Amino acid sequence: PMLIRAYLRAGAAPPLPPSARGARAGGHTGGALFLFAGGVARNVVKADIASLYPSLMRAFAIGPACDRLGALVGIVGHLLEARLAHKAAARAAAPGSLEAGHHHALQAAMKLIINAAYGYMGAVSMGLFADMDAADEVTRRGREVLATVIAGLRARGVALIEADTDGVYFAVPPAWGEAEERALVAEVAAELPPGIALEYEGRYAAMYSHEVKNYALLTYSGELIMRGVAMRSSRSEPFGERFLREAMRLVMAGDCAGLRALFLATVAALRERRVPLAEVAARVRLTKSPAAYRAARQREGQYEALLAAGRTDWEPGERVRFYRAEGGRYALFVEGAPDLPPYDAEHYVRVLVEGYAERLRKAFRPDDFAQLFRADAQLGLFDADVGAIQPRWIRPGA
């Protein structure tokens, strides 16, 4: 609508649809994504390439070839300037104030629009002004910019952790403070093309790197932040989610003795059924109708629990809580319901190991991981001193 409005205002005809002008479809090359190291890092910095794709579109005038008025690049440039102004105003306002919230909401709305501009160009069958070649040019230049940032950081001896179009995480020497970190980012930023800004986004006491876009961060104030589908899931069992958060803190502190003790205590609590039933029940959203589930070949716990409870009718979109009961059966969990069957303790011990502890595998060498998360508390003949086990550290110069 913004583009059509620009053409109507100028008294100009919009372009033909992509199919009518022979626009290329398919074969798009996306942005770069790197995982440099898995494990645990301390003294971590994130540098962000601010609004990379919109900035590239504006800096290099990359827009659809059919856009004779240059309306898309013009809109992106205008909203990008306005967004940066609102971001600055939000930072300058008192934290938590109405003014700060106002400016933050506006910059977030503008971010959605300008970030959609690149995607719009690549959506050939959906956008009147779409241009796959222009979208390819944006990501090509984006990869060049990211390569320049990576090379600049690597030349300065930091430990690279991961990088994508949103920015780069890296670890710096422990003696560094915020001033040295900011100076480093400013040095690398000076090597980028005009109009492309590398910003110092934040610093963290520690980071656990699991996979690209799947990691945990520990702030200097002690807040734990977990990102990615491997770290967080809407259908996680509450006991497992709590274990993972506590374990993550111990891993990033290098406290493997504490980690082993936490794991064994959780195993014992499950086997003795001291973990409340509500803590093992997963909450899920139903996606299949009764007819669709009956036609499916694969059995799923939430639907088996419904059927076991005598429910033969439900609607997709309904949310239910269910758990694995003794004997391999599934049961619905209803808060306050009497006479619910006990949960299958050994099943949830396996869930603890395979569903939650497994997410910490990248933090340890294979033998150390196997020892730390062995459900048997008995010492093995070749076990190491658990207090001497260390995570895989990601360090500058290593």
Side-chain angles (χ1 to χ4, degrees):
M2 291 182 179
L3 293 168
I4 293 296
R5 177 180 181 273
Y7 273 72
L8 289 174
R9 187 172 184 178
L16 293 169
S19 57
R21 51 186 161 87
R24 179 176 70 85
H28 176 55
T29 305
L33 204 62
F34 300 100
L35 179 68
F36 297 103
V40 183
R42 288 174 174 162
N43 311 106
V44 173
V45 175
K46 185 184 182 190
D48 177 60
I49 307 171
S51 298
L52 177 58
Y53 287 170
S55 296
L56 288 168
M57 291 176 66
R58 184 180 64 162
F60 297 99
I62 306 171
C66 63
D67 182 7
R68 306 185 310 280
L69 302 181
L72 183 58
V73 173
I75 290 168
V76 167
H78 172 75
L79 291 179
L80 182 56
E81 289 287 345
R83 182 193 175 220
L84 295 177
H86 284 294
K87 282 184 72 175
R91 286 193 294 265
S97 67
L98 186 62
E99 183 185 2
H102 169 76
H103 289 295
H104 178 73
L106 282 173
Q107 73 82 19
M110 292 173 181
K111 178 182 179 181
L112 287 174
I113 297 172
I114 61 177
N115 284 349
Y118 148 73
Y120 174 87
M121 291 196 302
V124 173
S125 63
M126 299 167 63
L128 183 62
F129 291 78
D131 187 330
M132 189 69 77
D133 292 329
D136 279 348
E137 179 65 7
V138 172
T139 53
R140 184 187 71 80
R141 289 192 180 270
R143 293 192 297 273
E144 288 180 351
V145 168
L146 188 59
T148 300
V149 171
I150 290 169
L153 291 171
R154 183 175 279 132
R156 289 162 175 83
V158 302
L160 293 163
I161 302 172
E162 75 162 54
D164 62 14
T165 51
D166 293 330
V168 183
Y169 284 100
F170 56 93
V172 300
W176 283 27
E178 186 173 340
E180 290 90 346
E181 295 165 359
R182 287 185 177 276
L184 170 69
V185 172
E187 284 180 21
V188 177
E191 299 172 357
L192 298 180
I196 308 300
L198 181 70
E199 298 178 344
Y200 178 89
E201 185 170 289
R203 62 197 308 257
Y204 302 92
M207 176 179 183
Y208 168 55
S209 171
H210 177 66
E211 297 286 356
V212 172
K213 290 184 174 291
N214 286 274
Y215 53 82
L217 297 164
L218 185 67
T219 69
Y220 282 97
S221 63
E223 180 188 2
L224 182 66
I225 303 166
M226 300 175 72
R227 294 282 187 264
V229 293
M231 297 290 108
R232 301 171 62 200
S233 170
S234 60
R235 62 179 296 163
S236 293
E237 293 88 353
F239 88 90
E241 195 169 75
R242 186 179 64 251
F243 165 81
L244 187 60
R245 293 186 69 85
E246 293 176 15
M248 199 69 73
R249 288 182 179 276
L250 294 168
V251 167
M252 289 194 276
D255 183 0
C256 292
L259 180 62
R260 176 67 175 159
L262 171 68
F263 174 73
L264 290 177
T266 308
V267 169
L270 286 167
R271 285 176 169 165
E272 296 164 16
R273 294 199 176 87
R274 286 184 282 110
V275 176
L277 197 54
E279 293 283 298
V280 302
R283 184 186 299 275
V284 299
R285 178 178 175 273
L286 302 178
T287 59
K288 295 183 175 72
S289 68
Y293 182 64
R294 284 193 294 270
R297 294 183 179 181
Q298 186 174 354
R299 301 297 91 186
E300 297 179 53
Q302 60 269 39
Y303 300 104
E304 294 300 303
L306 285 165
L307 295 171
R311 294 252 330 247
T312 57
D313 190 33
W314 59 82
E315 293 292 330
E318 181 184 347
R319 293 185 182 276
V320 298
R321 296 181 70 184
F322 77 103
Y323 65 98
R324 171 90 166 251
E326 278 188 319
R329 298 171 294 125
Y330 289 96
L332 286 181
F333 174 78
V334 180
E335 194 75 51
D339 303 323
L340 289 174
Y343 59 80
D344 183 339
E346 288 306 313
H347 168 77
Y348 285 104
V349 169
R350 290 193 297 274
V351 169
L352 176 67
V353 176
E354 298 168 9
Y356 295 98
E358 181 66 25
R359 304 179 201 186
L360 300 170
R361 182 176 289 277
K362 293 285 184 70
F364 299 101
R365 292 184 294 275
D367 289 349
D368 291 340
F369 177 86
Q371 180 179 337
L372 287 169
F373 298 110
R374 189 175 62 228
D376 182 2
Q378 184 70 35
L379 288 174
L381 182 62
F382 300 103
D383 280 357
D385 176 6
V386 72
I389 294 175
Q390 287 291 302
R392 284 175 162 162
W393 295 111
I394 303 168
R395 293 189 173 106

